[in-house]
Amino acid sequence: MKQPALRTGVRWKIAIAIAAVGALVAVTLSLIVHNAARVSMLDSARDVQLERLKLAQRWYELSKPKDQKPKWGAKLNDSGLPPELHRLMQERRYATYVQPKAGREAPEIWAAVPLGNGEVLSLHNPYPDRSATIMKRLDEALTVGSVSVVFGGSALGVLIGARLSRRLRKAATAAGKVAQGNTDVRVREAIGGVVRDETDELARAIDALTDALNERIEAERRVTADIAHELRTPVTGLLTAAELLPPGRPTELVRDRARAMRTLVEDVLEVARLDSASERAELQEIALGEFVSRRVTVLNPDAEVRVVHESWVNTDPRRLERILGNLLTNAAKYGRGPVEVTVEGRVLRVRDHGPGFPEALLREGPSRFRTGASDRAGAGHGLGLTIAAGQARVLGARLTFRNAAPEGRAAEEEAGGAIAVLWLPEHAPTNTGSFPVLTFPGKG
C-alpha cells in the first residue's frame, strides 16, 4: 500500500530547521543564564546575610549584660533552625543555607554560627524582593530574546530557502523543456545567479547528460536515415523487377513483400526527418469537420464520422491527413469495428472497439519498432503512431492515447476500445517553427 507523501517546499524545510536550531540554542542559553544569575544572586544574598550575622555576633559578645537579646533580627537557639544547619553547627564553623518555600514564596536565607557556650546564633530573612524582581525581568528579557531569535531565524531561513527553491524550480522547468525535446535549453543558463552552489553542479550535470543523449540520438538518427536511404534504391529496383514477373501467386507474394519493404523504408526516412526537428508546417485555413469527412471517406469508408461542432483551423492539410490516416490504419489493423471519428471544434477523436492500447504505450507513449502485438493482435513496426505523434509536434498539436471502459465495467478490468485524441492548437506554428506573437491594441 502506497503511503501518503507530505509535500513541502525547500524554503519551509530550511526555515523550520533554522528556527528549531535557534529555539534550541536560545532555550539552552536562557537556562544557563537564568541559573547562573540565580546562583550568583543567591550567593550574594548569603554573603550579605553572613556579614550581618558576624556583626550581630560581635555586638552580642561585647554587650553587657550577657542576658541581653541579640540585635538585627538574630536569635539564640532558634527552634526553626534547619536540620542541615544543626549538623554544620556541630563542626563549629560559620554556615549559610537557602531554605526553599512551598509554592511561589521567596526562599529563606539562613546564616548561623556556634558560640563559645554551646549556643547557636542564627539569622534568617526572606529572599530580597529586589533580587526576585531582577530575576523576573531577566526571565522576561530572555523570553523576548529567544522569541526574537526564533522568528529572525525563520525569516532568514525563508529568504535563504526561497533563493534555493527558486533556482531549483528554474532548473526543473528547464529540464522539463529539455525532456519535451527543446535541446537548445541550457539548465545552467536558466538558473542564473552569481553565487555558485550545488544547484550549479546539478545543472552542469544535466546539461552534460543532455549533450551526451543528443549526440547519441543524432548518431542513431543519422545511421537510421543513411541505412533507409541506401535501401531505397535497391528496394525500388526490386519492386520494379517484381512488376516484370509473370502473373501468378508467387509473383503476388514478391510484389506484396516488396511494397511492404518500400513502405517501411519510407516510414523510417520520415521518422528520421521528424527527429531532426527540421520539418516545418505549410499552413492553410481549412474547415476541420469537412476536411476530415472527405479524407475518412477515402482512407476508410467503413469508419463513422460525426461532426459535433465545425471549426476553421490554420494547419498543414498534408500532415493532418498523414496523422488521420495512421490513426485509422492503426484502429483498423489492431482494433475492432466500428471505427468512430468525431470532430468537435479543434479536437479530433478516433476510436475503435478492440482490446485497447497496451499499457506500455499509455505509460510511455508510442515508440518505434515496438508494437502491441501481445495485447492487440497483429504485427507491425510501431512506426505509425510514432509518425503521427511526430507530425502532431510539427503542427504544434497534442496527441494523446487512452482506453475506454466498456459499459458497466471499470477501466482497469477490461479495455473497451482505444481512443486517440488530437488537440489542434489555437495558433499554429509559423514556417520558421515559432509561434506568432499576439499584440493587443492598448486601451485609450
Side-chain angles (χ1 to χ4, degrees), residues 16-36:
I16 291 173
I18 294 179
V21 173
L24 180 61
V25 173
V27 170
T28 303
L29 291 178
S30 298
L31 291 176
I32 293 174
V33 172
H34 173 85
N35 290 330

Side-chain angles (χ1 to χ4, degrees), residues 165-179:
S165 178
R166 184 165 56 251
R167 287 166 62 85
L168 289 174
R169 285 195 178 97
K170 289 181 179 180
T173 302
K177 293 179 181 179
V178 172

Side-chain angles (χ1 to χ4, degrees), residues 117-383:
N117 56 3
E119 293 179 326
V120 174
L121 183 66
S122 62
L123 178 66
H124 69 94
N125 296 102
Y127 187 68
D129 292 338
R130 181 173 177 273
S131 298
T133 302
I134 293 175
M135 287 299 302
K136 182 179 179 180
R137 292 179 178 175
L138 176 62
D139 290 340
E140 292 176 353
L142 290 174
T143 301
V144 173
S146 299
V147 173
S148 301
V149 168
V150 171
F151 279 99
S154 300
L156 179 62
V158 170
L159 293 177
I160 297 175
R163 180 181 178 278
L164 179 59
S165 178
R166 184 165 56 251
R167 287 166 62 85
L168 289 174
R169 285 195 178 97
K170 289 181 179 180
T173 302
K177 293 179 181 179
V178 172
Q180 294 173 1
N182 190 354
T183 57
D184 294 333
V185 175
R186 298 284 89 183
V187 179
R188 177 63 194 87
E189 296 177 0
I191 63 176
V194 178
V195 180
R196 297 293 180 262
D197 53 21
E198 288 80 0
T199 310
D200 298 271
E201 297 179 8
L202 174 63
R204 283 192 292 269
I206 295 176
D207 290 339
L209 177 62
T210 302
D211 293 338
L213 290 176
N214 288 339
E215 292 176 1
R216 181 173 179 179
I217 292 173
E218 179 62 21
E220 293 179 354
R221 187 194 66 80
R222 286 197 301 267
V223 169
T224 303
D226 292 343
I227 293 175
H229 185 74
E230 293 297 328
L231 286 175
R232 173 186 268 177
T233 301
V235 168
T236 302
L238 178 62
L239 186 60
T240 302
E243 296 294 335
L244 301 177
L245 295 176
R249 179 60 179 168
T251 300
E252 291 297 326
L253 292 176
V254 171
R255 290 175 181 173
D256 180 68
R257 292 299 88 195
R259 293 191 189 100
M261 186 175 295
R262 183 178 64 180
T263 301
L264 174 59
V265 171
E266 295 297 332
D267 287 347
V268 171
L269 284 173
E270 185 173 359
V271 169
R273 288 194 301 270
L274 292 172
D275 286 345
S276 66
S278 60
E279 295 287 286
R280 296 290 179 263
E282 298 178 2
L283 305 180
Q284 296 181 22
E285 194 81 14
I286 62 172
L288 183 60
E290 179 185 354
F291 176 84
V292 171
S293 299
R294 287 190 283 106
R295 293 301 187 271
V296 170
T297 302
V298 176
L299 297 171
N300 189 348
D302 297 330
E304 302 175 5
V305 181
R306 185 166 65 99
V307 180
V308 178
H309 175 65
E310 180 64 278
S311 177
W312 286 84
V313 296
N314 194 27
T315 187
D316 188 331
R318 179 181 64 84
R319 298 183 188 278
L320 180 59
E321 181 177 1
R322 178 65 162 155
I323 296 172
L324 180 60
N326 283 13
L327 295 180
L328 289 173
T329 301
N330 186 81
K333 190 172 184 179
Y334 299 111
R336 288 193 296 268
V339 176
E340 302 172 354
V341 180
T342 305
V343 178
E344 185 174 356
R346 297 176 178 275
V347 181
L348 170 65
R349 294 181 180 86
V350 178
R351 174 182 178 176
D352 62 52
H353 291 75
F357 290 115
E359 290 298 325
L361 187 144
L362 296 178
R363 184 175 59 254
E364 304 172 9
S367 178
R368 68 195 69 178
F369 302 111
R370 186 184 65 187
T371 66
S374 58
D375 297 311
R376 308 186 76 193
H381 303 287
L383 296 179

